[in-house]
Amino acid sequence: MARIVADDINSLAMADPFPSLSLSLVLTFAFALALLAGLVLNFWLSSRQIRHVAQHRGQVPPAFAQTILLSAHQKAADYTITKARFGLLELTLGAAVLLGWTLLGGLSSLNQALLGWLGGGMGQQIALLAAFVLISGLIDLPVTLYQTFVIEERFGFNKMTPKLWLLDLLKSSLIGAVVGLPIAALILWMMGATGSWWWLWAWGVWMGFNLLLLLIYPTFIAPLFNKFVPLEDETLKARVTALMKRCGFAAKGLFVMDGSKRSAHANAYFTGFGASKRVVFYDTLLAKLSAGEVDAVLAHELGHFKHKHIIKRIVSMFALSLVGFALLGWLATQAWFYAGLGVQPNLGAPNDALALLLFMLALPVFSFFIAPVMAHFSRKHEFEADAYAVRQTSGPDLATALLKLYEDNASTLTPDPLYVKFHYSHPPASERLARMTS
Ligand SMILES: [Zn+2]
């Protein structure tokens, strides 16, 4: 259990030899430095992206001159620039809030207040987690509101009414509480009751929970937000079924989802595993693509399965979280971990909820720098899925489908190459089309 004894705290304040004090200072310094470095890097990359897109706004790239209208190209440029600018504002705000929680003492004060009110125990720990989630959610609210009702609205993507938005918020908060609170309580209990190997048990439970979520999401949670009706178009159904058979796939069902209820963005996905596996087409996708193009898009998704991208992603998520839990298991017992991040640990009461929150807050600041590695593998997988789709269906169909989707989503055709390397999970259209036709 993450209990801190008085000696650990005293060593923070004692003179010679200062082991914990120096470690906590090192952590404070490293944390502030990583946060600042991340901000600077992001500002630099985004300003490159904004400049690059603005410079190419005047003309459709020659390779697309026949297929993309100048007006669509310019809309994509404006949308990209608007989002990049807003992203920077969001980033700055996020950094300020993070500093507020950590080094400026927000989390520590919240913890002390709840401790004074509820005493130390499971109730206080759960209250701390819940209060943190609630406050963070409230702080994020204006950001999501602006994104949906100003930015997406301005570019004609938002189809949500304020009423639907509010209903979504209530539903997801309720689900979050119903699903999240028991699992949080279970993990906190394990942290306190299963000894110094608690993190291994907690990791097992966390992985089981994620697998369960994957299993029940398509059948129980997604239908709370959208209507799923079986695909009715017989010709398309026959085509898609034939394609899946050809590729050696069995899925429980083909469904159409009313994505148009919220957004004009189009998509298709493959979801669940085992018996709950299903293919879901957004109605917005079916409205925009021909039958051959739908086939090609689905073949791309099947390509992800054939190349085991999903399994690879799940396995690497498992491995990474094992490392994360082990690290947390060690950090939670170190007084400098709390002190270095601006929190006064509890004496004589469990620090497990504090440790969890601090870890979740601090980790992204450091793990941000591996983002390009993740993005690299993601783009590699997209190329592989494209190649599979070209082999199974028609290259020209996939090319026109992709172009329609890039155009409809107002994805710029001229992103900054370095920005792409860092942030893009999908390769730019030009690179994908070039690979397909080469
Ligand atoms: Zn893909």
Side-chain angles (χ1 to χ4, degrees):
M1 186 200 315
R3 269 189 196 277
I4 303 292
V5 291
D7 271 358
D8 297 325
I9 306 292
N10 289 340
S11 71
L12 290 177
M14 264 180 349
D16 226 16
F18 275 163
S20 289
L21 176 59
S22 54
L23 277 177
S24 88
L25 275 180
V26 168
L27 177 59
T28 304
F29 184 70
F31 176 72
L33 192 70
L35 186 63
L36 186 69
L39 268 181
V40 170
L41 183 62
N42 260 315
F43 265 86
W44 178 64
L45 284 170
S46 290
S47 59
R48 280 182 62 111
Q49 166 83 334
I50 290 168
R51 212 168 39 237
H52 199 272
V53 172
Q55 271 166 4
H56 293 84
R57 187 181 181 278
Q59 199 195 352
V60 181
F64 302 99
Q66 303 302 313
T67 39
I68 301 287
L69 290 173
L70 181 63
S71 58
H73 174 67
Q74 292 185 330
K75 177 186 172 186
D78 297 340
Y79 184 54
T80 306
I81 291 173
T82 306
K83 277 201 308 184
R85 284 205 181 118
F86 189 68
L88 287 179
L89 187 74
E90 215 185 322
L91 205 71
T92 314
L93 204 74
V97 170
L98 179 61
L99 275 181
W101 279 123
T102 54
L103 300 185
L104 298 178
L107 186 60
S108 203
S109 313
L110 182 64
N111 178 54
Q112 292 299 328
L114 290 173
L115 210 54
W117 184 33
L118 299 166
M122 186 55 97
Q124 189 266 349
Q125 299 214 68
I126 294 192
L128 181 63
L129 291 185
F132 174 84
V133 170
L134 198 68
I135 296 171
S136 311
L138 285 175
I139 295 174
D140 281 345
L141 221 51
V143 173
T144 40
L145 272 173
Y146 189 86
Q147 262 164 348
T148 309
F149 292 106
V150 180
I151 298 183
E152 294 289 296
E153 186 80 38
R154 186 189 310 159
F155 290 92
F157 291 127
N158 178 43
K159 302 288 173 227
M160 249 197 277
T161 57
K163 190 181 152 199
L164 178 61
W165 183 85
L166 199 65
L167 209 63
D168 276 2
L169 182 69
L170 290 177
K171 268 194 258 181
S172 50
S173 309
L174 201 66
I175 295 169
V178 168
V179 178
L181 285 178
I183 187 82
L186 183 58
I187 288 188
L188 286 173
W189 175 79
M190 290 203 295
M191 290 176 87
T194 57
S196 54
W197 288 88
W198 70 261
W199 53 270
L200 201 57
W201 298 106
W203 174 74
V205 164
W206 180 245
M207 291 305 98
F209 169 69
N210 271 288
L211 286 179
L212 185 71
L213 213 55
L214 224 55
L215 199 67
I216 64 168
Y217 185 84
T219 27
F220 293 104
I221 299 181
L224 296 174
F225 292 92
N226 282 97
K227 257 204 216 73
F228 293 83
V229 293
L231 177 66
E232 269 168 9
D233 183 333
E234 289 300 328
T235 24
L236 188 60
K237 213 158 118 183
R239 264 192 98 127
V240 165
T241 313
L243 167 71
M244 295 187 62
K245 216 170 151 191
R246 200 158 75 232
C247 299
F249 275 93
K252 267 295 206 199
L254 308 169
F255 291 89
V256 180
M257 187 190 101
D258 58 347
S260 57
K261 187 173 151 188
R262 294 193 178 79
S263 161
H265 291 300
N267 207 352
Y269 65 92
F270 214 74
T271 170
F273 60 97
S276 72
K277 210 186 275 176
R278 45 170 71 185
V279 178
V280 175
F281 300 104
Y282 280 37
D283 54 355
T284 38
L285 183 93
L286 296 184
K288 281 161 192 167
L289 302 188
S290 72
E293 290 167 340
V294 170
D295 243 18
V297 168
L298 178 61
H300 169 99
E301 295 301 322
L302 296 178
H304 282 308
F305 260 78
K306 271 282 153 155
H307 284 285
K308 303 205 165 39
H309 295 157
I310 320 284
I311 296 289
K312 281 180 195 164
R313 203 173 304 164
I314 291 178
V315 169
S316 52
M317 188 191 86
F318 273 36
L320 280 176
S321 38
L322 180 60
V323 175
F325 270 100
L327 189 61
L328 175 59
W330 174 62
L331 287 173
T333 59
Q334 310 296 317
W336 54 263
F337 170 62
Y338 302 86
L341 293 171
V343 170
Q344 186 196 337
N346 306 325
L347 286 174
N351 284 297
D352 304 324
L354 268 183
L356 275 179
L357 287 174
L358 268 188
F359 189 70
M360 282 187 324
L361 283 169
L363 193 66
V365 173
F366 296 102
S367 64
F368 164 73
F369 297 95
I370 60 166
V373 182
M374 301 298 200
H376 167 81
F377 282 108
S378 175
R379 290 195 304 272
K380 183 171 166 270
H381 290 170
E382 292 308 321
F383 282 133
E384 288 172 1
D386 280 349
Y388 180 84
V390 169
R391 285 198 301 277
Q392 296 296 338
T393 55
S394 128
D397 272 346
L398 183 62
T400 53
L402 282 181
L403 264 188
K404 277 189 194 173
L405 291 178
Y406 273 82
E407 183 179 348
D408 271 325
N409 289 322
S411 308
T412 179
L413 297 169
T414 58
D416 171 57
L418 208 60
Y419 187 89
V420 168
K421 282 230 175 312
F422 223 92
H423 287 302
Y424 272 39
S425 63
H426 285 61
S430 54
E431 285 181 31
R432 290 177 78 172
L433 295 187
R435 291 253 186 140
M436 267 178 237
T437 46
S438 64

